[in-house]
């Protein structure tokens, strides 16, 4: 089995995107996404102006045709977008969970204030009914 340059590059990109799953995010990650989008837009403009360029790039990478090279680039871009979207949605779900917990605790404190529970006298906390968790 002969491994060509494009196979090595594609495997490296897939591993890098998968490693991004375990990396923290922040302003740097957002900046990298924006740079990636600008790079993709730049490649699109250059591809429109110079369509034979992809054939030359494909030849350097060991791919037969420029259209195959474009397909590989789009697969990598789609994989990166998918991973980014997954991470963003996971973060949003975590925020919603924290918000729901905070809201539940605030409502429980409003509906069952600590003074009302302790002012009940000798009956103890069971007299107020079950406490929300």
């Amino acid at each position: 089995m002969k491994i060509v340059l494009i196979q090595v590059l594609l495997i490296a990109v897939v591993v890098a995107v998968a490693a991004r799953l375990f990396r923290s995010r922040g302003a740097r990650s957002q900046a990298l996404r924006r740079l990636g989008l600008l790079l993709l837009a730049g490649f699109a403009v250059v591809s429109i102006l110079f369509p034979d360029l992809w054939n030359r790039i494909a030849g350097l990478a060991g791919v037969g045709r420029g259209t195959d090279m474009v397909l590989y680039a789009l697969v990598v871009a789609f994989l990166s977008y998918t991973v980014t979207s997954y991470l963003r949605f996971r973060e949003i779900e975590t925020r919603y969970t924290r918000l729901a917990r905070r809201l539940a605790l605030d409502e429980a404190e409003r509906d069952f204030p600590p003074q009302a529970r302790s002012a009940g006298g000798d009956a103890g906390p069971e007299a107020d009914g079950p406490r929300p968790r």
Side-chain angles (χ1 to χ4, degrees):
M1 176 179 184
K2 182 181 174 188
I3 296 180
V4 293
L5 176 63
I6 188 65
Q7 291 171 320
V8 173
L9 289 174
L10 287 173
I11 290 170
V13 168
V14 169
V15 168
V17 169
R20 187 173 177 188
L21 277 171
F22 302 105
R23 214 177 67 202
S24 64
R25 297 160 322 278
R28 180 179 176 183
S29 178
Q30 185 177 6
L32 288 175
R33 282 195 307 264
R34 287 181 180 166
L35 285 176
L37 181 61
L38 286 174
L39 185 65
L40 183 64
F43 272 126
V45 170
V46 170
S47 296
I48 292 168
L49 295 175
F50 308 103
D52 290 335
L53 179 64
W54 281 107
N55 287 329
R56 285 187 245 136
I57 294 172
L60 292 173
V63 178
R65 302 179 307 170
T67 54
D68 292 338
M69 189 70 191
V70 170
L71 175 66
Y72 295 151
L74 289 175
V75 165
V76 168
F78 177 73
L79 179 63
S80 178
Y81 172 77
T82 303
V83 168
T84 302
S85 295
Y86 167 76
L87 291 173
R88 194 173 339 132
F89 287 135
R90 191 172 71 179
E91 182 179 332
I92 288 171
E93 286 176 353
T94 302
R95 284 183 177 180
Y96 280 147
T97 301
R98 288 182 182 152
L99 178 63
R101 287 177 182 164
R102 180 76 256 158
L103 185 61
L105 289 172
D106 289 346
E107 286 179 358
E109 201 167 284
R110 181 194 68 205
D111 294 341
F112 303 101
Q115 310 88 322
R117 284 194 306 255
S118 62
D122 295 334
E126 295 82 18
D128 291 338
R131 290 178 54 194
R133 294 179 187 207

